[in-house]
Structure formats: structure tokens, C-alpha cells
Amino acid sequence: MLAQAGVRITSRATSRVRFQRLALLRIREAEALYAAKCYSGAYYLAGYAVECALKAAICKGFQRHSLPERALVQKAFVHNLGELVVTAGLQRDLHDTLRSDPELAANWAVIRDWKETSRYRHNVRLNAKDLILAISGQHSPFLELIRARW
């Protein structure tokens, strides 16, 4: 209605597609930083790849042309991966998948420990490697699990 009245509506909101692209970009950036031996930055960005992927899954649940509940929107603006899994409505699916895929369960055990505050810590090579492999490695990559649901 506002657009019809000649009012230009601008939004700083991030769309589902943008979160999807950011997730894939952040994991590529993390891999590049790891290759450049910048392990702390690699660890930090790898975690953000998962966060963006989960936020894309959350966006999928929003109905077009409707205002989502305030509480749901507020829950989407956190950096806790476990909470984002719940907000995205993936906890049951994730639980079932982890029970049937021990490698994916091991990957989630590595991923869920990521915190936004990791930017203030020095992460060693092994931590960055483990996180990146858990997210995008060849065996049960966690990012693929989320991509199937975003």
C-alpha cells in the first residue's frame, strides 16, 4: 500500500537468499584464511557460515506478506548456534539425523562449541581445521544438512 502511494520502502533486512549466499561465502573465506595460516580468522568465519545457514532456514519459515511474531524475530538475532537450531525448527530433525549418523554427530559436537566471542581468542590450527571439516568436509558435512532445509 505504501509503495502504491509513492512511498519508497527500503529495508536493511537480510533475505533468505542473502543468508544462503553469505553462508557459502563465509565457509570459502574461512577455507582461504586457513590456507593462508590465519587460523583464528578461519575459525571465526567458519562459525558464521553455520550461523548464516541457520538464519536462512529461519527465514524459510516466515510467511510472505505477514508479520512474524516479535519473539521469533528476536530469537533469530542471536549468535548461539544451538538456539538458532531451535528457532529454525530443526532440533527434532537434527536429533534424529545425529542419532543415525555418528560422523555428523561428531561434527555437531565441534560446531556447537563455536561462539561469536571467538573473535577475541587465538585459535590454533587444529581448532580451525576441525571446525571447517565439520562444516564442509567430505564426510557428513553439517552445512549440507542445513542446505537441504533452507
Side-chain angles (χ1 to χ4, degrees):
M1 186 160 163
L2 291 174
Q4 292 171 340
V7 176
R8 183 172 178 198
I9 302 171
T10 58
S11 174
R12 292 182 179 241
T14 304
S15 71
R16 179 174 154 229
V17 171
R18 186 158 185 221
F19 274 124
Q20 291 169 343
R21 289 178 182 157
L22 283 171
L24 299 175
L25 176 63
R26 292 296 172 256
I27 195 62
R28 284 195 318 269
E29 290 171 339
E31 290 166 347
L33 284 171
Y34 182 83
K37 299 181 182 180
C38 298
Y39 306 121
S40 294
Y43 183 88
Y44 179 62
L45 282 181
Y48 267 116
V50 175
E51 180 177 319
C52 289
L54 289 168
K55 288 183 178 184
I58 292 168
C59 289
K60 183 178 182 181
F62 293 154
Q63 293 181 347
R64 189 173 183 196
H65 304 301
S66 69
L67 187 62
E69 291 184 35
R70 181 182 191 146
L72 177 61
V73 172
Q74 288 175 327
K75 289 177 182 178
F77 282 90
V78 299
H79 301 286
N80 181 300
L81 301 181
E83 288 179 30
L84 289 172
V85 165
V86 172
T87 303
L90 300 176
Q91 72 276 12
R92 186 175 192 178
D93 192 21
L94 177 62
H95 176 73
D96 292 345
T97 304
L98 296 181
R99 284 182 49 209
S100 65
D101 187 338
E103 285 188 76
L104 192 63
N107 289 346
W108 174 240
V110 171
I111 294 165
R112 71 175 178 224
D113 289 339
W114 178 88
K115 305 277 186 273
E116 176 198 15
T117 55
S118 69
R119 68 179 177 260
Y120 301 118
R121 287 183 291 195
H122 175 75
N123 283 288
V124 295
R125 177 178 173 249
L126 184 59
N127 292 346
K129 181 180 180 181
D130 288 348
L131 184 60
I132 291 169
L133 288 175
I135 294 167
S136 66
Q138 292 179 344
H139 304 288
S140 296
F142 191 78
L143 191 56
E144 289 306 311
L145 172 72
I146 299 171
R147 284 182 77 179
R149 290 149 180 86
W150 73 16

